[in-house]
Amino acid sequence: MTQSRPHGAPTLRAPTFNDLSESLRSGLKDFSAAPGLGLFFASFFVLAGLLMAGITVLTGTTYWLILAVMGYPLVGSLAALGFYETSKRLQDDDDVTFAAITRSVWTQRGGQLPWLAAIIVVVFLFWFFLGHTIFALFLGLSPMTNVLSTLDVFLSPTGLMMLGFGTAVGGVFAMIVFAMSVLGMPVLLDRDVDFVTAIITSIGAVVGKPQVYLIWGISVAVITLIAMLPFFLGLFVAMPILGHASWHLYQRVTTAEPAAVQNPA
């Protein structure tokens, strides 16, 4: 038995706002079709968020929590692979058991996806470093050990300037990661390409139709941040829908199917 994946980057068309709404509808449909898998992969987001919050609270360094919350959506694509694989198999009427999905995701560890994931992690860590520098520049002389008890610091003129500047810088980092991964990760799952080609393909698509992709990116970020508010529990619903929807958006804008490469099993 052989398995095949199309070779080379796909030909992509410009998305429309209707593609966004239809992708979300398809994402909800896939979550309803495989809720157990959706909840399982979403649990990684929830546990990571709770662990992140718990560490900062226990160590008395909750000022890091703001940086983590602002950067948290950057790493969302790392756990989306399970949603992509589930949607792909549902679309192909393939096996969608827990064993089949997790085995398929695990086999990606030796491919190109870890390289893109590593780049995203590096960007996230650099954002932490830069965010801490921004804190120091604006509030370095302010007595602050716990943002939960010193919120007035952020409401001061200097604090508001820091929040505005930090948000703008964080937005740039988020857009860079979004541009690389919005189509880059689905391409790597679906095609026989290297991670550089996937990144270039994704960035090229975003640059080609920035207004639609910007709305999509903002929508994903806002929904994610809102879902994080009730102790990250909203991510159990938001992440599966958004993850499945991201796969369907990729499928909707893919217009050509290059020749497949046969890999002996």
Side-chain angles (χ1 to χ4, degrees):
M1 181 178 180
T2 62
Q3 290 184 341
S4 63
R5 283 197 304 164
H7 177 67
T11 301
L12 304 173
R13 67 169 175 81
T16 64
F17 290 108
N18 182 64
D19 288 323
L20 304 186
S21 60
E22 288 300 320
S23 295
L24 284 171
R25 186 174 291 109
S26 297
L28 177 59
K29 181 179 179 182
D30 284 356
F31 182 35
S32 300
L37 285 166
L39 293 174
F40 171 74
F41 288 110
S43 68
F44 289 95
F45 289 90
V46 177
L47 292 175
L50 292 174
L51 180 63
M52 174 182 68
I55 291 175
T56 59
V57 170
L58 291 175
T59 58
T61 57
T62 47
Y63 49 86
W64 283 103
L65 187 58
I66 292 183
L67 298 178
V69 167
M70 292 179 67
Y72 189 68
L74 297 181
V75 297
S77 56
L78 297 180
L81 185 58
F83 305 129
Y84 297 162
E85 180 66 24
T86 301
S87 288
K88 184 176 185 295
R89 286 171 173 265
L90 285 171
Q91 191 173 8
D92 296 338
D93 197 25
D94 204 348
D95 185 7
V96 290
T97 61
F98 178 82
I101 298 296
T102 53
R103 182 171 57 250
S104 180
V105 171
W106 180 248
T107 59
Q108 297 296 326
R109 72 190 187 282
Q112 293 289 305
L113 270 163
W115 290 101
L116 178 54
I119 293 175
I120 295 174
V121 170
V122 169
V123 173
F124 182 64
L125 293 177
F126 186 70
W127 158 242
F128 254 76
F129 169 78
L130 191 58
H132 188 265
T133 302
I134 293 172
F135 259 88
L137 289 174
F138 283 90
L139 299 173
L141 299 178
S142 300
M144 179 179 65
T145 57
N146 192 325
V147 297
L148 299 179
S149 60
T150 56
L151 294 177
D152 57 307
V153 175
F154 294 106
L155 299 179
S156 66
T158 304
L160 291 175
M161 288 177 60
M162 185 276 298
L163 289 175
F165 182 74
T167 299
V169 174
V172 172
F173 275 83
M175 283 305 302
I176 292 173
V177 172
F178 173 77
M180 291 192 303
S181 62
V182 61
L183 298 178
M185 296 201 76
V187 165
L188 287 175
L189 177 65
D190 190 44
R191 308 275 170 157
D192 181 28
V193 296
D194 60 272
F195 75 97
V196 176
T197 299
I199 290 174
I200 293 174
T201 300
S202 185
I203 292 177
V206 173
V207 171
K209 195 69 172 179
Q211 59 271 37
V212 177
Y213 281 109
L214 180 61
I215 293 299
W216 179 246
I218 292 175
S219 299
V220 170
V222 170
I223 292 173
T224 301
L225 291 173
I226 292 176
M228 291 169 63
L229 294 178
F231 301 101
F232 301 92
L233 297 180
L235 297 177
F236 275 120
V237 175
M239 288 297 97
I241 295 176
L242 292 175
H244 293 311
S246 295
W247 172 261
H248 284 286
L249 178 61
Y250 162 71
Q251 287 289 294
R252 292 182 68 86
V253 301
T254 301
T255 61
E257 188 74 13
V261 173
Q262 299 296 324
N263 299 313

